[in-house]
Amino acid sequence: LKNMPDPITAKRSIWLPFMKDNLKVDEETIIIGHSSGACAAVRYAEQHKVAGIILVGAYTSDLGDSTEAASGYFSDPWQWDLAKANVDWVVLFGSTDDPFLPWKEQEMVATSLGAELHKYENRGHFMDQTFPELIKVVQEKIKQ
């Protein structure tokens, strides 16, 4: 398992090439992205075919935060249709009590991608050490 480079700003210009060149993400890969990683997963899927994406705490804007703005994920419009065309399926885990991400943004990602939405009211930003619901989804998708 490799750590992502640039973990604070999570720059698009660094993460997407790293996913392609170092992690070798391809059409058989399931990308699991949390927070900034969810943004990276969608942006990657806009340009490349992948098996599926699992998004945890996904959002659509920089939320007025300068670090988020510097990441580059929000500098151009989302290409939802391209991302949908390049994945076989999308699952999104979101929580209405996320202290960082407004529910309306999480819901917009799910709607825009036609995602299978797993909505919670008590998971915050999904920072728990375990996530059995995610493991179950991965296992189900691998069996298909």
Side-chain angles (χ1 to χ4, degrees), residues 1-5 14-32 37 40 44:
L1 186 65
K2 296 182 182 184
N3 289 326
M4 294 297 286
I14 295 173
W15 276 27
L16 298 190
F18 183 82
M19 291 168 69
K20 183 173 190 262
D21 300 333
N22 295 78
L23 298 180
K24 307 296 185 195
V25 173
D26 64 16
E27 64 277 351
E28 296 181 13
T29 303
I30 296 171
I31 301 175
I32 302 172
Y44 192 88

Side-chain angles (χ1 to χ4, degrees), residues 3-139:
N3 289 326
M4 294 297 286
D6 187 37
I8 303 301
T9 307
K11 287 190 184 88
R12 178 181 180 180
S13 61
I14 295 173
W15 276 27
L16 298 190
F18 183 82
M19 291 168 69
K20 183 173 190 262
D21 300 333
N22 295 78
L23 298 180
K24 307 296 185 195
V25 173
D26 64 16
E27 64 277 351
E28 296 181 13
T29 303
I30 296 171
I31 301 175
I32 302 172
H34 172 252
S35 201
S36 295
C39 296
V42 175
R43 289 298 190 184
Y44 192 88
E46 289 176 347
Q47 300 174 357
H48 306 279
K49 177 88 174 118
V50 297
I53 53 178
I54 299 175
L55 309 173
V56 182
Y59 51 110
T60 60
S61 76
D62 66 20
L63 306 166
D65 182 89
S66 60
T67 302
E68 292 290 343
S71 72
Y73 294 110
F74 313 103
S75 57
D76 54 299
W78 292 96
Q79 299 179 60
W80 305 116
D81 289 338
L82 285 177
K84 285 194 311 191
N86 280 330
V87 300
D88 294 330
W89 50 265
V90 180
V91 175
L92 188 143
F93 290 90
S95 191
T96 59
D97 70 339
D98 191 313
F100 308 112
L101 308 178
W103 174 249
K104 66 178 185 171
E105 291 206 17
Q106 298 177 71
E107 194 171 39
M108 181 177 183
V109 174
T111 301
S112 298
L113 291 173
E116 173 187 319
L117 177 60
H118 294 250
K119 179 180 178 181
Y120 296 87
E121 297 177 355
N122 61 350
R123 298 299 288 273
H125 197 55
F126 295 91
M127 301 299 283
D128 298 327
Q129 292 293 316
T130 60
F131 197 168
E133 301 92 342
L134 186 143
I135 299 299
K136 183 179 178 189
V137 166
V138 171
Q139 291 171 333

